Amino acid sequence: SLWGVEQPLEVVLPKIKALGYAGVESPLPEPATVSTFKILLSDNGLQYIPLIFTSGKNVEEHARTFQEQLELAQAFNPYFINSHSGRDSWNASERNQFFAEALKIEQKTNAKVSHETHRGRILFNPWVTQETVKEFPSLNLCCDFSHWVCVAERLLDNEEEYIKVAAEHCLHIHARVGYEEGPQVPDPRAPEYQAHLNSHERWWQMVWEAQSRRGFTVTTLTAEYGPPSYLHTIPHTNEP
């Protein structure tokens, strides 16, 4: 993930490659930097997963921005595209209207897209997600279970049927560990968050097993960890 990375891409992309990563994930670059970004990806032998964000006042505007950004992302020959889709406040009719249009656009443009289980978006909780994938069996997900833990304010260890449903549709994982009061534990290595780490690792394993059954030969995971102030900071100083 390039989220929070402040070094110039000319410096950081070779480091990412040297660390053994297969690619990077980030929002689309600014128009003035597109050609440079493409060259740097190619020179460093890195795949690219663009992250797009729908926006607008209604379903039609979100669908339009989805198509516009999808077309821009396709120009990068992406590994696939990850989307923050729609709004959490929509009712079932609005959710279904958006995804019906989005899947039509994906098919028309021959785009491979994962729709992320993200707060503020349509798939912000396990219950809406279950209803949505039943309505749209071909929908691909990016599973970031940390958001669900935060929204539900509990680990879903006793409700793993929802994880299993998501796993059957999962194309991509965002591997961040959430806890009951937030989407990111201060440090996943800390013993007080061992149970949270164990749960998330078990859920990722469920995704990999489901992908294996579905015939996947490659799986993708972005190790995501947000910078300050997503990362906890010390009050009054804003120091990490």
Side-chain angles (χ1 to χ4, degrees):
S1 172
L2 296 182
W3 183 26
V5 173
E6 295 178 345
Q7 289 180 309
L9 291 180
E10 294 86 346
V11 174
V12 80
L13 289 188
K15 291 182 180 180
I16 288 170
K17 181 66 176 180
L19 286 168
Y21 287 95
V24 295
E25 180 173 350
S26 72
L28 292 167
E30 294 297 321
T33 65
V34 164
S35 59
T36 301
F37 188 53
K38 285 181 179 177
I39 290 167
L40 287 170
L41 288 173
S42 176
D43 287 351
N44 289 285
L46 291 167
Q47 297 278 0
Y48 178 43
I49 299 174
L51 180 56
I52 65 174
F53 307 83
T54 74
S55 61
K57 291 178 272 189
N58 51 43
V59 174
E60 290 78 12
E61 290 183 7
H62 276 262
R64 189 186 73 247
T65 57
F66 176 75
Q67 180 165 1
E68 290 170 352
Q69 292 181 60
L70 198 67
E71 289 172 356
L72 290 172
Q74 285 285 74
F76 288 88
N77 189 29
Y79 199 70
F80 56 82
I81 298 159
N82 189 32
S83 177
H84 284 205
S85 302
R87 296 188 59 142
D88 56 0
S89 58
W90 286 349
N91 60 35
S93 175
E94 291 169 312
R95 298 194 299 263
N96 292 346
Q97 181 187 346
F98 173 82
F99 277 123
E101 184 62 26
L103 288 172
K104 200 185 303 178
I105 292 166
E106 290 174 36
Q107 188 173 29
K108 185 171 70 176
T109 58
N110 198 31
K112 196 174 186 179
V113 181
S114 62
H115 297 269
E116 188 168 346
T117 61
H118 202 287
R119 287 170 303 143
R121 299 295 181 168
I122 294 175
L123 305 175
F124 74 108
N125 74 41
W127 307 285
V128 165
T129 302
Q130 183 180 55
E131 292 171 9
T132 303
V133 295
K134 282 184 178 177
E135 187 73 26
F136 301 99
S138 65
L139 194 70
N140 288 317
L141 303 181
C142 167
C143 289
D144 187 337
F145 298 121
S146 68
H147 290 284
W148 285 2
V149 171
C150 174
V151 168
E153 207 170 8
R154 61 186 181 276
L155 285 173
L156 298 164
D157 291 342
N158 296 321
E159 301 164 89
E160 286 190 345
E161 66 268 23
Y162 298 106
I163 305 290
K164 289 177 182 174
V165 169
E168 293 297 330
H169 295 265
C170 186
L171 176 64
H172 183 45
I173 292 173
H174 275 187
R176 184 175 54 221
V177 177
Y179 69 120
E180 293 84 349
E181 308 307 334
Q184 180 171 284
V185 299
D187 188 337
R189 300 165 297 187
E192 59 267 35
Y193 296 110
Q194 188 66 51
H196 303 80
L197 177 62
N198 290 346
S199 292
H200 284 71
E201 288 185 333
R202 185 171 64 255
W203 300 337
W204 302 333
Q205 185 64 43
M206 289 163 66
V207 167
W208 296 324
E209 289 169 1
Q211 288 181 336
S212 181
R213 289 193 300 271
R214 290 156 62 200
F216 280 54
T217 56
V218 174
T219 188
T220 57
L221 176 152
T222 295
E224 192 176 52
Y225 198 80
S229 59
Y230 214 90
L231 170 70
H232 288 206
T233 58
I234 299 169
H236 306 288
T237 68
N238 208 35
E239 287 296 312

